[in-house]
Amino acid sequence: MTPAILLAHPHLLWLLAVPVALTAWYVWKQRNIHASLSVSTTVPFAKLPGSWKASLRHVAFALQMAVIACVVVILSRPQTTDAWRTSSVEGTDIVLAMDISTSMLARDFKPDRFEAAKNVAQRFVSGREGDNMGLVIFAAESFTALPMTTDRALLANYIHDLKMGMLQDGTAIGDGLATAINRIREGKAKSKSIILLTDGSNNTGNVAPITAAEIAAKNGIKVYTIGVGSNGTAPYPQEDMAGRIQYVNLPVVIDEATLKQIADITGGQYFRATSANVLSEVFDEIDKLEKTEMDVKNFSQTEDDYMPWAIAALAMFIIVLVMRTTILRTLP
């Protein structure tokens, strides 16, 4: 579609009256500008050719008026605006459901599970061009942080700004999955998937994880589950009697059986991320799995388009300047 040409300040076009008025004054002035000489007859002069320099004076004036007109148009800020257009890209509907319970502060990842998960999720989101994506966070309760959007920068920035303690502590995997299902079920893409990231087992909430998985399966939604945590023990944060946070090595407990069952029921996959590098590899693997052809609407930003007018004005100004200092130069 051809871009539309608009003016940011169209009211300034009234300044075009200036070169029009100057042109009228120039024409009127030329009527009596010719020198006169009394002779008995003009017959000898009738066939004399006109001066080409006289014609050039008119050309120089016309160029000056054109320069003024270009400057007026530049002041009016011509802009180009593209209309909505549909493009075909590889994409899908994805909701990222992230566990933000305090156990995610365990330091078997660098600097901890929470920050490592955020960093990997940001890179994943930034690389999913054309996808319609949303973000759900959960702990003892679940919350839609961002509804479905194609604004990757907005989503990546929101993930970056996630803070621990935004929700009451606990691990409601079923509630987090149910909220993600509600967000994605109305998506228009043929392929719908939820990436559920947690480091524990369901210990609270109103919806059982398996029940939520069955609902996802009925709606054709795949769930990819990720268990975050190293094997063995990990330093978990604990508050002592004085209210200070200390890190104590405790066994890593992830309900892998339930996470695997959720993935199996929905046709997804279960991944175990035992380090930041493995977590990154898990997201890379999911990135390869979930891509389908879909149409996406795009709208380009309005941009100033004054450069052609500025170039034209400068070119004509230089031409007039050269003419005035060479061919049309007058003696003092």
Side-chain angles (χ1 to χ4, degrees):
M1 185 175 292
T2 303
I5 300 177
L6 305 173
L7 294 175
H9 307 299
H11 60 280
L12 293 180
L13 289 179
W14 69 267
L15 291 174
L16 290 175
V18 174
V20 173
L22 289 174
T23 301
W25 173 82
Y26 179 82
V27 172
W28 178 83
K29 183 180 178 182
Q30 293 299 312
R31 295 174 57 193
N32 301 314
I33 200 172
H34 303 291
S36 61
L37 177 67
S38 298
V39 293
S40 58
T41 178
T42 60
V43 173
F45 304 99
K47 296 183 179 181
L48 288 177
S51 173
W52 59 274
K53 287 189 176 182
S55 299
L56 279 183
R57 286 192 299 105
H58 302 318
V59 172
F61 177 81
L63 289 175
Q64 289 175 312
M65 297 302 100
V67 169
I68 295 175
C70 286
V71 171
V72 171
V73 173
I74 292 171
L75 292 175
S76 301
R77 288 185 62 191
Q79 299 174 328
T80 56
T81 302
D82 291 336
W84 283 101
R85 63 179 184 272
T86 301
S87 58
S88 181
V89 298
E90 284 190 333
T92 184
D93 287 342
I94 298 177
V95 169
L96 182 60
M98 292 185 62
D99 185 348
I100 64 167
S101 58
T102 55
S103 59
M104 287 289 288
L105 292 176
R107 293 186 174 179
D108 48 348
F109 287 60
K110 298 297 182 183
D112 55 45
R113 295 174 183 173
F114 186 56
E115 291 300 325
K118 285 169 54 177
N119 292 336
V120 174
Q122 286 179 78
R123 290 197 298 271
F124 176 78
V125 166
S126 299
R128 299 291 300 191
E129 185 174 359
D131 286 339
N132 197 27
M133 303 185 72
L135 175 66
V136 169
I137 55 176
F138 66 92
E141 52 192 339
S142 61
F143 173 71
T144 301
L146 273 180
M148 305 296 289
T149 178
T150 56
D151 191 334
R152 293 176 295 158
L154 175 65
L155 192 54
N157 289 334
Y158 196 101
I159 293 173
H160 177 269
D161 293 335
L162 285 176
K163 304 294 182 185
M164 188 61 63
M166 296 176 68
L167 299 175
Q168 184 180 349
D169 198 26
T171 306
I173 295 175
D175 285 8
L177 181 54
T179 301
I181 293 169
N182 287 333
R183 295 285 72 79
I184 201 173
R185 70 198 312 173
E186 300 302 328
K188 296 181 179 180
K190 294 180 180 178
S191 177
K192 298 180 177 64
S193 55
I194 295 171
I195 301 174
L196 177 70
L197 186 149
T198 182
D199 69 340
S201 57
N202 192 78
N203 56 28
T204 187
N206 299 315
V207 181
I210 302 305
T211 301
E214 292 170 348
I215 295 173
K218 289 180 180 178
N219 286 274
I221 303 168
K222 294 181 180 180
V223 181
Y224 295 93
T225 54
I226 303 174
V228 182
S230 59
N231 294 313
T233 62
Y236 284 87
Q238 286 193 346
E239 190 174 316
D240 61 15
M241 298 293 293
R244 295 171 299 187
I245 298 296
Q246 294 184 342
Y247 286 84
V248 180
N249 282 326
L250 296 173
V252 176
V253 180
I254 300 175
D255 189 356
E256 292 192 282
T258 298
L259 295 179
K260 288 179 180 178
Q261 192 173 357
I262 292 172
D264 291 340
I265 291 173
T266 61
Q269 292 186 36
Y270 168 71
F271 301 91
R272 176 66 184 270
T274 56
S275 68
N277 289 335
V278 176
L279 181 61
S280 181
E281 293 173 2
V282 167
F283 272 90
D284 288 342
E285 186 65 24
I286 294 174
D287 183 59
K288 297 175 185 177
L289 291 172
E290 287 301 327
K291 281 187 179 179
T292 57
E293 196 78 12
M294 63 185 298
D295 292 332
V296 176
K297 279 191 172 182
N298 297 295
F299 189 80
S300 60
Q301 296 293 330
T302 299
E303 296 181 355
D304 288 339
D305 192 25
Y306 62 85
M307 191 57 67
W309 299 94
I311 293 174
L314 180 61
M316 290 186 290
F317 177 79
I318 292 175
I319 292 172
V320 172
L321 186 62
V322 171
M323 292 173 64
R324 293 293 187 188
T325 55
T326 55
I327 302 173
L328 301 179
R329 182 180 180 183
T330 58
L331 297 175

